[in-house]
Amino acid sequence: MNQSNPPAQRSRWFGLAVLCAGMFMIITDGTVVNVALPTIQAQLGFAQADLTWVVNAFVVPFGGLLLLAGRLGDLVGRKRMFLVGLVAFTLASALCGLATTQAMLIGARFVQGVGGALAAGVILGKITTMFSDPKELGKAFAIFSFVLSGAGAVGLVLGGVLTDAFGWHWAFFINVPIGIAGVLLAVRVLDDDEGLGLSGGTDFLGAAMVTAGLMIGVYSIVGSTERGWSSPYSWGPALLAVVLLAVFLVRQSKVSNPLLPLRLFRSRNFSATNGLQILYVAAAFGMFFVSALYLQLVLGYNPMQIGLTFLPMTAVTAVVTLGFAAKLNARFGERQVLIAGLIPVAVGLGLLARVPVDGTFVVDFLPSMLLLGAGGGLVVPALTALAMSDVPPVDSGLAGGLFNTMQQIGGALGVSVLAVFSTLHTQNLRAAGEPDVVALTSGYQLAFGITTGFIVLCLIGVITLLRRVSKAAPEPVAETAG
């Protein structure tokens, strides 16, 4: 593709906009639905224990299928997989909005998760192959990273507006016109890519193993939030997931046409960034989760106010990510920028670990939001670029799917760990006679302290494990058929 061709350049950027719009819709859907949960519970008669399945029915297939979706994109074409996923997600969104029973809603949410995984799993791979110029690729990663960072906060505000004004059904119906527009535009502006093809044979047994293992693993993590890890319904599925994934990895070292070529993990940056992302996302998702609870249960904020609380962070993230991240990565290297970004994130979370019972937004939240926005605006683009830096184009879909999978696992794990520890601490303080609001606040302080620890560990890992990325073209990795 001719880099100097203006129509071709515009086509790439239009294509990026369509891909990011699809990702934005998928991520926003999660937080929009969370805000609508109380209304859904009241109108469809969900028991409290069953209400979590409105969320989990999406999270389990979404987290479990991302890796497979990324690899299928490499094999059959990333544009094709994106379109199939977007169509499925859009149709399932309409069914969610039309749902009149609990079973219909949960079933449609499961299909939403499948469609979301098929679309999201190939987006990073598609971006990597669309932009061959390093500077353009850096800008593309920055834009994509902003979508990842900002969509959650926007969803909180949007969910409050839609639910209050039109009812919970519109938390799902809003996806339909966006999805239809996305499909029509994607057909026009995304380049066709045929993929490697399935003719050489595909490891279907391995695909079944890894998908089942990831789904069961995600199920065990999200379920532990309610049941705790002492329950056999938590550690039993987790053990089964570990066994399935271990057998899958052994199989990948032996089959001639592996679903996950283990040669990818010869790159220290690829392996380390995927592991470090779990720590970072666990802290980030956990911060949103605990902050929302603190604002609602201690300070008495409504959903709209909670969403607005995160907007300063989103605004700063936009300025840093879109205005500075790509330039700083190009000048100083992603590793150095990642270190510089993690420091304000750690400080911001450390400040949140001191939130008081009678906290105020300006004094106790705004400084942290600004620090988290500035730091996160540097961290996410740098992590993304490092994760994809040594990946050959033939494996970019798989690498992107794995990167997104680690994000989902990190988010689910972070929420689970923080929920368990903060709840236990709160219960102990209540049993000791502390007032309820004091016990709750102390539990949230502990949770924020744990997120700070996650970031400190992530910072240590970046310093000790990651290497500087050479601006020269990376050495090609030997490719295998199919």
Side-chain angles (χ1 to χ4, degrees):
M1 185 177 292
N2 185 358
Q3 292 288 337
S4 63
N5 187 338
Q9 290 182 350
R10 287 196 296 269
S11 177
R12 286 197 299 277
W13 292 108
F14 284 143
L16 176 66
V18 172
L19 294 171
C20 287
M23 195 69 179
F24 182 86
M25 179 177 64
I26 293 167
I27 296 175
T28 303
D29 179 79
T31 47
V32 168
V33 172
N34 284 336
V35 174
L37 284 179
T39 307
I40 292 174
Q41 180 181 20
Q43 293 192 10
L44 294 185
F46 275 96
Q48 186 64 38
D50 297 332
L51 188 64
T52 58
W53 278 105
V54 177
V55 175
N56 294 347
F58 177 91
V59 172
V60 170
F62 185 74
L65 286 169
L66 281 167
L67 178 61
L68 178 59
R71 191 51 173 170
L72 286 176
D74 292 334
L75 298 177
V76 304
R78 300 177 192 101
K79 177 180 178 178
R80 184 176 293 118
M81 288 301 299
F82 179 74
L83 287 171
V84 169
L86 203 58
V87 168
F89 183 87
T90 303
L91 291 175
S93 296
L95 289 176
C96 287
L98 295 170
T100 55
T101 66
Q102 297 177 17
M104 183 177 177
L105 179 59
I106 290 175
R109 284 288 284 165
F110 186 90
V111 178
Q112 253 195 327
V114 173
L118 295 179
V122 299
I123 290 177
L124 260 181
K126 187 65 177 171
I127 292 173
T128 302
T129 56
M130 284 166 56
F131 296 92
S132 57
D133 180 81
K135 291 184 178 180
E136 287 192 344
L137 182 60
K139 293 178 183 178
F141 280 152
I143 294 170
F144 177 76
S145 300
F146 169 66
V147 170
L148 292 179
S149 304
V154 173
L156 289 172
V157 179
L158 186 61
V161 172
L162 291 173
T163 303
D164 290 343
F166 305 108
W168 67 267
H169 303 276
W170 280 93
F172 301 104
F173 283 145
I174 190 65
N175 293 327
V176 176
I178 300 173
I180 292 173
V183 170
L184 295 176
L185 288 171
V187 170
R188 286 183 58 87
V189 303
L190 292 182
D191 292 334
D192 292 323
D193 50 338
E194 293 302 321
L196 299 172
L198 299 173
S199 58
T202 302
D203 182 19
F204 290 108
L205 178 57
M209 284 181 180
V210 70
T211 301
L214 288 171
M215 280 192 178
I216 294 170
V218 173
Y219 166 79
S220 68
I221 294 172
V222 297
S224 69
T225 304
E226 296 290 331
R227 296 185 295 263
W229 282 107
S230 61
S231 169
Y233 293 102
S234 294
W235 60 258
L239 181 61
L240 177 58
V242 170
V243 171
L244 283 171
L245 294 175
V247 173
F248 166 75
L249 290 176
V250 172
R251 179 177 174 79
Q252 297 309 287
S253 68
K254 299 181 181 299
V255 297
S256 59
N257 220 357
L259 179 73
L260 177 61
L262 299 184
R263 55 187 163 75
L264 283 175
F265 296 98
R266 295 173 190 163
S267 165
R268 178 188 291 189
N269 280 354
F270 179 80
S271 300
T273 49
N274 277 282
L276 293 172
Q277 187 190 199
I278 294 179
L279 288 171
Y280 179 77
V281 175
F285 276 48
M287 182 277 297
F288 276 109
F289 173 73
V290 177
S291 295
L293 290 175
Y294 169 78
L295 292 168
Q296 180 182 13
L297 300 180
V298 176
L299 301 187
Y301 283 27
N302 60 38
M304 178 75 72
Q305 290 172 317
I306 293 173
L308 292 173
T309 298
F310 294 113
L311 284 185
M313 180 181 70
T314 304
V316 174
T317 300
V319 171
V320 174
T321 302
L322 303 179
F324 301 101
K327 297 176 183 178
L328 292 174
N329 285 338
R331 180 170 181 179
F332 299 105
E334 289 85 356
R335 180 179 176 273
Q336 298 304 112
V337 173
L338 186 54
I339 292 171
L342 286 169
I343 293 172
V345 172
V347 174
L349 291 172
L351 291 176
L352 287 178
R354 304 173 61 220
V355 289
V357 172
D358 56 348
T360 62
F361 168 72
V362 173
V363 174
D364 301 298
F365 249 80
L366 183 58
S368 291
M369 293 298 102
L370 298 178
L371 287 167
L372 291 169
L378 297 177
V379 168
V380 180
L383 261 181
T384 305
L386 282 166
M388 304 298 289
S389 61
D390 293 334
V391 177
V394 70
D395 291 323
S396 60
L398 171 64
L402 182 62
F403 188 77
N404 286 327
T405 299
M406 294 301 102
Q407 183 181 82
Q408 294 303 309
I409 291 175
L413 190 61
V415 170
S416 174
V417 168
L418 298 183
V420 169
F421 279 94
S422 64
T423 298
L424 286 175
H425 187 65
T426 297
Q427 289 174 345
N428 290 336
L429 290 177
R430 283 171 174 161
E434 290 287 349
D436 190 61
V437 68
V438 173
L440 280 172
T441 303
S442 184
Y444 299 146
Q445 289 173 339
L446 174 63
F448 285 128
I450 293 173
T451 63
T452 307
F454 286 159
I455 296 299
V456 171
L457 288 175
C458 188
L459 183 59
I460 293 172
V462 171
I463 294 171
T464 58
L465 298 177
L466 294 185
R467 293 173 174 169
R468 298 177 69 97
V469 177
S470 172
K471 295 307 172 183
E475 293 184 16
V477 180
E479 299 176 9
T480 60

